[in-house]
Amino acid sequence: MDGTLAASNVVYVYLDFRSYRRSLLWRYLWLASVLPKLVYYAFLDSRSRVRFNEVFYRNYAGVSLREMEGWAQSAMKRFWEPRILPGALQKIQEHRAEGHRIVIVSGGMALTLEPLARWLEVDACAAAWAEVEGDRLTGRLARGALSGKAKATATHEVAQQLGLDLTQSYAYADSYADRAFLESVGHPVAVNPDRRLRRLASQRGWPIRKWPRQA
């Protein structure tokens, strides 16, 4: 999803969530306090996407479901729509015209992806589930991080639920961390790939696509 369907990632989503409806001064001060952490998160992600997700989602500890719902109400028009990659939207329309089912598989949090999933009218959305106690997020993931092999497992589960043949299915991803996910289908496609995924796709003969952001 991130970098493939939309020019976004879990960090951008969190930054937007925290700064939503805040004053410009508050945003500057808060962002200044967060910037040093971003370097650590980037290093952690380069080592392990699973570990990165587990650590990063701790930032949501104590957030109320009402806050998340408030952000989600305006997120589609304000946050998601400007970031959707035109090439991705065109490809979705092509698949839909062929009668294919459309499924989002993402390590992003389901609470933040729901507006986008509804807007796209997808058949299913497999995403990370935030653990909730009472009406607040704990900062933990109820079912673990949806990355690496877990993303491939989720893909198999959705395929079973919808009666899909994965050998005839397509998957799109931009990161080498999604290798297992891409290998779980018969038609993997590398979109805006990072260096390691580009090399792997070239070795495997997988299509490589460049989907630029909106002008």
Side-chain angles (χ1 to χ4, degrees):
M1 210 291 294
D2 295 335
T4 306
L5 175 57
S8 179
N9 57 44
V10 297
V11 176
Y12 290 157
V13 170
Y14 175 71
L15 294 178
D16 188 81
F17 167 73
R18 282 300 190 189
S19 60
Y20 174 59
R21 290 181 174 174
R22 300 282 189 171
S23 69
L24 188 59
L25 176 60
W26 187 97
R27 293 180 187 180
Y28 280 132
L29 293 175
W30 179 76
L31 187 58
S33 70
V34 170
L35 283 176
K37 295 181 181 179
L38 298 182
V39 177
Y40 167 65
Y41 290 139
F43 170 77
L44 195 61
D45 187 42
S46 69
R47 295 292 180 174
S48 170
R49 179 63 57 83
V50 172
R51 183 58 179 161
F52 162 76
N53 283 336
E54 291 173 345
V55 171
F56 186 79
Y57 281 123
R58 293 174 186 169
N59 288 298
Y60 285 96
V63 170
S64 71
L65 289 175
R66 181 175 296 181
E67 286 181 85
M68 295 299 305
E69 291 168 355
W71 179 85
Q73 286 177 358
S74 70
M76 189 57 234
K77 283 288 185 182
R78 185 183 53 78
F79 180 81
W80 286 116
E81 194 168 336
R83 290 172 169 78
I84 292 176
L85 303 179
L89 195 57
Q90 179 180 345
K91 182 56 65 175
I92 287 174
Q93 293 169 346
E94 290 175 2
H95 279 299
R96 187 164 279 143
E98 292 291 330
H100 300 168
R101 300 287 191 92
I102 309 299
V103 178
I104 291 177
V105 182
S106 173
M109 199 160 55
L111 289 170
T112 64
L113 294 176
E114 285 175 357
L116 180 59
R118 288 196 300 268
W119 187 77
L120 291 173
E121 298 181 327
V122 299
D123 295 282
C125 179
W129 286 89
E131 182 182 80
V132 178
E133 291 182 356
D135 67 342
R136 293 187 177 276
L137 279 63
T138 67
R140 296 185 294 270
L141 297 174
R143 303 177 187 175
L146 194 65
S147 300
K149 293 182 179 179
K151 185 175 284 190
T153 297
T155 301
H156 281 280
E157 291 174 350
V158 171
Q160 186 174 25
Q161 293 167 5
L162 297 181
L164 306 179
D165 180 359
L166 287 182
T167 65
Q168 300 299 315
S169 298
Y170 294 76
Y172 301 84
D174 72 322
S175 172
Y176 185 81
D178 292 324
R179 174 178 178 173
F181 165 64
L182 290 169
E183 290 175 336
S184 69
V185 303
H187 301 283
V189 181
V191 177
N192 303 333
D194 59 25
R195 179 177 54 82
R196 295 178 69 192
L197 179 57
R198 178 177 292 277
R199 184 167 62 246
L200 176 66
S202 297
Q203 293 171 348
R204 298 287 185 86
W206 297 347
I208 298 174
R209 300 287 182 262
K210 178 65 175 178
W211 291 346
R213 295 190 60 164
Q214 299 182 41

